Each structure stands twice: as C-alpha cells, then as structure tokens.
Amino acid sequence: MFDRVWLNAHLATMDGPADAPLGQIPDGAVASKDGRIAWVGRRADLPPDAAAEVIDCGGAWILPGLIDCHTHLVFGGNRAAEFEQRLAGATYEQIAREGGGIFSSVRATRAASEEALYEAALPRLQGLMAEGVTTVEIKSGYGLDLENELKMLRVARRLGEKQAVQVTTTLLAAHAVPPGYEGGTSAFARHVAWYIIPAAAGLANAVDAFCEKIAFSPEETSWVFDAARNAGLPVKLHADQLSDLGGAALAARYGALSADHLEYANPEGLRAMAEAGTVAVLLPGATYFLREKKLPDIAAMREAGLRLALSTDMNPGSSPARSLLLMLNLGCTLFRLTVEEALLGVTRHAAAALGMADRGVLRAGTRCDLALFRIGRPAELCYWIGGSPACGRVVNGR
Ligand SMILES: [Zn+2]
C-alpha cells in the first residue's frame, strides 16, 4: 500500500536511456511511501487500489524536484546602486575606490544580524521554490572571517530547516581576501585552510574556492582542498571563469564534485574532469550579466563526455539571477544547450554536482521530491523567457 499516488500526469523521469534521457512517460503515475518514490510507470500498469490518497494532476507534467546547485543567496544589501552607477558611466576603478564591488557585500553581510540575513534571503529562496525547486545549495563567502562565515552557514541551514526545501551548505571562505587583511592571498588561504575550515566543518557539506588571477592561485587553492579533505568534506571549485589557470584539472585531481563556470577551461582539463566524475556546472546568468563574450566550450565538454549542470549562481555582484527557469532559457540561447542537456542540468546532473545520489530522477527508492508544471511538453520549460508554469511541488512525499 502506497501513501500517495499522483495520477493524470505526464512524466519526465530524467532517467531514460542515453538517446532519450528525459524518460518521458505519457499518462504516467508516481507513488510514494515514507517520503520516497515507491513506484513510477504507466498509469495503466499501476496496481489497483494501491494508495491511501490519490492526487489528480489534471494533465500536468511531473519532473523530479528542480535543484539549484550553485547559489550565494545569503548576503547583506545588494549592488543595484552600483549597477545604476555603471550604466551611468562610472568605471570599475571609481566604484572600487568608493568601496564598491564584493567588499560592499562583505561589509553589509558582516553588519547584518542572523535574523536580517534570514529575512533578506527568504524571498530569494521562496522565488526558487515557487518554480518547482526542492533542493538548493547555498555558499558562504561574504563573511571572510570565522565568525561571519559561520553566521552565513547557520542562516543557510536555518532556511532549510524552516522552509519546505532541502538546503545544502558550502563553505566558500576562500572567495576573496577580506578588506583590511594585510597578509595577501597566500596568508589568507592558509588561514582558511588551517583555521576556518576545521572550525566550520560541522556546518558545511562541502568546501569551495575561487581559483582565479584576481583571487587564489591553484597552489593556494590546493591548500584549501587539502584542509577540506582532512575535514572529510568534498570540494567544488569556481574554475577558469576569467582565465585558464588549470582550474578544471585541479578540481579533477581532488575528485571535486563539480567545477563551475569553466569559460576558459582547456580540453585536457575537461577530459580530466570527466575521468574523475567531476560535474561541469554552467552559469549563464553570470555570462549574461557581465556581457561575457567568452563562452564555455560546450562542444569540448560533450566530446569529453562530461555531465553538465545548470544553475543561477544567484549572487549580488555577477549574477543577480533569481530564476532557475530563466537559466534554462539562457543555457539554451547563450550556450546552445539542447533541451535534454538543460533539463538534466537542473535535475539529475545538478544532484550529481552536489553528490546527492538520492534525487534528481523519478525512480523507485529516490526521495519523493516532485515539480509539477502546466505545460504541453518539457521543452516549454526552456522556451519561455520569464514567467513560471509551475503548478505544484512535493517535498519528501508531501
Ligand atoms: Zn558562484
């Protein structure tokens, strides 16, 4: 006997064979038991009188609950005023001289109470939830000292405890050298590795770093990754976004769950990632907002056999993107992803980018996290620019 059955729906299980990965089942049914999917298939094959509760989906499409696998959605303030200044002709240098850029987010985040950070992040999280998102990764990285990094992680965890959504946290203390810090990147990377990671390990599910000319070198990043390994935490990497520093290969060497951005990644690095099982996370919101001309090499990624995920990178500086559905469209228009690639990127492959084997597909035994959409075919999720056809959401079978 199942707890619930969802009927009168079309399914995209995201669990199909390589040549039909959406796994479409017209007139399908999903059944749950104890928060897990207990049965998936054609309605005609469903055992009769099988459930305590039957839900008529009215012809909606059911996908696995969507997963936003790369966000920085907890932060103080925002940078709309900077955006306005830049559009009015101010240069990056002028804005930096006035204390703008990432340091304005660091100052605002440090100044905010936990309650204020929670209240600011909540509508951003709820916006994702309203689109059918059931799992969200949230990074720290605007505290840049132990106390404030812990504060950010606690806020992220609390969002997941209070809201009907799974939150997984990532420590990104190696995001930038904090304002006023006198030791430079190497000293700060050591501080993160030796002091912040061991102290924050209990609040983080993973460790991330920003490996870039304007941030941390590959060697400094490796100290951070060694510390993560010692703390028993998997790693992720902001890699090769603005230049090719070999970030993709570095991530692969550490068996990273994912390497993210990858605009400048070289084909060898991409191949190394594929061998290591590292997922490539694409962030078209940043490409769009920064008006980047250099695009990730999708052809090389396909050739390497990489799994591609797609995410908002929701952050106040480079990607104030509050819609994962919009990223489906941007991934297809800017990067020429196929519908299959884009949809796998916010379900099955996004789950892999978080090391979560229990979700991202409609399959017996996985978590019963569902997203329901009023659409005629899955491609509509990639086609519309703005608006949300989401019409239902199930987390853990409820
Ligand atoms: Zn990011």
Side-chain angles (χ1 to χ4, degrees):
M1 186 72 147
F2 304 130
D3 294 336
R4 289 205 167 87
V5 173
W6 287 266
L7 286 180
N8 193 11
H10 308 295
L11 313 182
T13 65
M14 310 313 296
D15 199 22
D19 61 343
L22 299 187
Q24 300 186 49
I25 304 178
D27 197 11
V30 180
S32 72
K33 178 79 185 164
D34 301 330
R36 303 256 149 188
I37 292 175
W39 192 91
V40 181
R42 296 190 319 143
R43 179 186 191 168
D45 299 333
L46 184 71
D49 302 328
E53 190 184 346
V54 175
I55 294 144
D56 185 330
C57 300
W61 277 82
I62 302 180
L63 272 75
L66 305 186
I67 299 170
D68 195 347
C69 67
H70 179 141
T71 86
H72 310 245
L73 74 75
V74 171
F75 53 85
N78 67 58
R79 311 235 283 271
E82 245 173 65
F83 182 62
E84 188 176 12
Q85 282 177 306
R86 280 223 315 279
L87 291 171
T91 64
Y92 275 104
E93 289 69 31
Q94 284 168 319
I95 289 168
R97 259 203 312 278
E98 290 165 22
I102 185 172
F103 294 143
S104 73
S105 294
V106 173
R107 272 195 312 277
T109 302
R110 286 179 172 181
S113 68
E114 266 182 63
E115 194 54 38
L117 284 177
Y118 180 91
E119 290 300 326
L122 186 57
R124 299 193 279 261
L125 179 64
Q126 287 174 331
L128 293 176
M129 292 162 65
E131 292 186 328
V133 172
T134 53
T135 298
V136 180
E137 186 251 19
I138 302 177
K139 302 177 194 295
S140 67
Y142 298 113
L144 304 182
D145 60 29
L146 179 61
E147 178 195 344
N148 287 291
E149 288 291 302
L150 292 178
K151 179 173 76 177
M152 290 186 71
L153 293 172
R154 280 195 299 269
V155 170
R157 285 267 168 108
R158 192 148 74 89
L159 286 163
E161 285 155 15
K162 301 263 185 200
Q163 303 300 314
V165 64
Q166 281 258 307
V167 168
T168 176
T169 54
T170 301
L171 176 70
L172 177 60
H175 193 190
V177 174
Y181 187 83
E182 295 190 344
T185 54
S186 289
F188 189 67
R190 285 196 188 90
H191 178 71
V192 169
W194 297 347
Y195 180 62
I196 296 183
I197 289 175
L203 279 172
N205 301 104
V207 168
D208 195 344
F210 187 21
C211 180
E212 194 51 71
K213 280 183 190 146
I214 58 166
F216 299 94
S217 72
E219 189 188 6
E220 290 157 359
T221 301
S222 73
W223 304 336
V224 171
F225 281 2
D226 287 334
R229 189 177 272 171
N230 289 337
L233 292 173
V235 298
K236 308 170 75 68
L237 187 63
H238 284 71
D240 303 328
Q241 179 187 5
L242 307 169
S243 60
D244 179 11
L245 288 189
L250 174 67
R253 206 153 57 241
Y254 278 85
L257 292 173
S258 71
D260 305 35
H261 285 294
L262 299 170
E263 281 81 345
Y264 286 82
N266 62 63
E268 272 158 67
L270 296 175
R271 280 195 293 276
M273 279 174 58
E275 269 166 47
T278 299
V279 175
V281 178
L282 304 172
L283 306 167
T287 302
Y288 169 77
F289 194 71
L290 299 174
R291 306 175 78 229
E292 275 290 341
K293 294 291 174 286
K294 175 83 171 147
L295 304 178
D297 189 347
I298 304 297
M301 291 179 183
R302 287 177 182 140
E303 199 177 303
L306 274 170
R307 291 175 294 175
L308 310 180
L310 196 55
S311 167
T312 58
D313 192 14
M314 191 193 298
N315 78 73
S318 62
S319 185
R322 296 173 63 156
S323 166
L324 188 59
L325 293 177
L326 181 56
M327 297 307 111
L328 289 172
N329 180 271
L330 292 187
C332 294
T333 52
L334 297 178
F335 299 165
R336 307 310 289 168
L337 297 182
T338 65
V339 164
E340 286 87 354
E341 286 169 334
L343 291 174
L344 286 167
V346 296
T347 53
R348 184 180 184 140
H349 293 166
L354 298 174
M356 291 173 151
D358 63 346
R359 66 197 72 195
V361 291
L362 302 181
R363 186 193 298 157
T366 62
R367 276 174 60 96
C368 188
D369 293 345
L370 313 177
L372 279 68
F373 298 101
R374 189 73 56 206
I375 50 176
R377 58 192 297 134
E380 271 193 59
L381 296 173
C382 303
Y383 164 75
W384 296 109
I385 304 172
S388 170
C391 62
R393 192 170 155 279
V394 175
V395 175
N396 234 351
R398 350 210 108 251

